[in-house]
Amino acid sequence: MLENNFNTVNTDVKTLVKDAQALLSAAGALTGEKAEEVRVRGMRTLEAALAKAQEAQANAVVAGKEMAASADVYVKENPWRSIAAAAGVGLLVGVILGRK
């Protein structure tokens, strides 16, 4: 679910940035009132992309804190399982790095 949200936001931001680039490129060829209108639209598009990126960052921070709290509760409730899991991962990493 979280990865799907990040992919959606990432796609939205990329689309907004491409639209803003196209608008600002078009504004370079125009002069006068039309150019100013296109520049304003481009700035609005970039601001929307920035807002989406900040929203995604805030969501990631919240999700990270929730996962950390969940892991903390699990470790406190199951200390020996946590130690065994950490030792197992350490052993696995050691074996993999020892083969290279």
Side-chain angles (χ1 to χ4, degrees):
M1 183 177 119
L2 185 61
E3 187 174 323
N4 189 24
N5 289 342
F6 285 131
N7 289 338
T8 302
V9 170
N10 190 21
T11 303
D12 290 348
V13 169
K14 284 181 182 179
T15 302
L16 287 170
V17 169
K18 285 181 184 178
D19 289 348
Q21 287 173 336
L23 286 170
L24 294 174
S25 295
L30 299 174
T31 59
E33 188 177 312
K34 280 279 195 190
E36 186 61 29
E37 180 183 324
V38 172
R39 278 197 250 338
V40 168
R41 285 178 47 203
M43 289 306 293
R44 284 186 193 142
T45 304
L46 287 174
E47 288 170 2
L50 181 61
K52 282 271 192 185
Q54 289 173 343
E55 179 184 339
Q57 180 184 9
N59 290 340
V61 168
V62 168
K65 286 181 180 181
E66 288 174 358
M67 285 189 269
S70 169
D72 186 50
V73 168
Y74 180 82
V75 168
K76 286 181 180 178
E77 290 177 356
N78 304 297
W80 290 109
R81 283 186 184 173
S82 301
I83 291 171
V89 169
L91 179 65
L92 181 64
V93 169
V95 168
I96 290 172
L97 291 177
R99 289 181 155 210
K100 290 185 177 181

